[in-house]
Amino acid sequence: VDETFTYNTDHEFLLKLLEEKQEELGATFEKSDFGTMVIGMMNYVADPDKQEFFHISINDEEAMTGAEEIPLNDKDVYKFELSNY
């Protein structure tokens, strides 16, 4: 799936925007001791048995924190890519 979405928001952090647009994005979240993780996008949930996860990048640079700590900045591009560990 290769989809692009453009949003205008007053939210400060990526997770809040994802939660607001959850239905449109087909997003699924899981709370853990490490915070809220994005485990699904476009109605596909990563399969831990296949060592899958959603990798997040911002302007083609790897995110160093989870979605709840990633600040939203005008014109930034946030990419979710299914990966394996």
Side-chain angles (χ1 to χ4, degrees):
V1 176
D2 185 5
E3 292 281 339
T4 301
F5 299 88
T6 302
Y7 296 114
N8 292 314
T9 185
D10 290 328
H11 293 300
E12 292 184 43
F13 294 96
L14 181 58
L15 181 62
K16 291 297 180 192
L17 177 62
L18 294 174
E19 289 173 340
E20 177 185 329
K21 304 295 183 181
Q22 183 174 3
E23 189 173 317
E24 180 179 359
L25 296 171
T28 305
F29 310 102
E30 183 176 275
K31 294 191 185 293
S32 73
D33 292 341
F34 303 106
T36 302
M37 298 174 52
V38 178
I39 62 165
M41 292 297 286
M42 304 308 297
N43 299 312
Y44 181 85
V45 176
D47 185 346
D49 292 336
K50 295 179 183 176
Q51 299 179 328
E52 294 177 338
F53 72 100
F54 278 92
H55 175 263
I56 305 172
S57 61
I58 306 138
N59 301 322
D60 291 325
E61 292 188 24
E62 182 176 351
M64 296 305 205
T65 62
E68 63 191 344
E69 296 178 15
I70 296 173
L72 292 173
N73 295 303
D74 193 31
K75 307 227 188 278
D76 277 357
V77 175
Y78 305 87
K79 183 176 181 180
F80 294 81
E81 188 170 30
L82 186 65
S83 299
N84 295 88
Y85 53 87

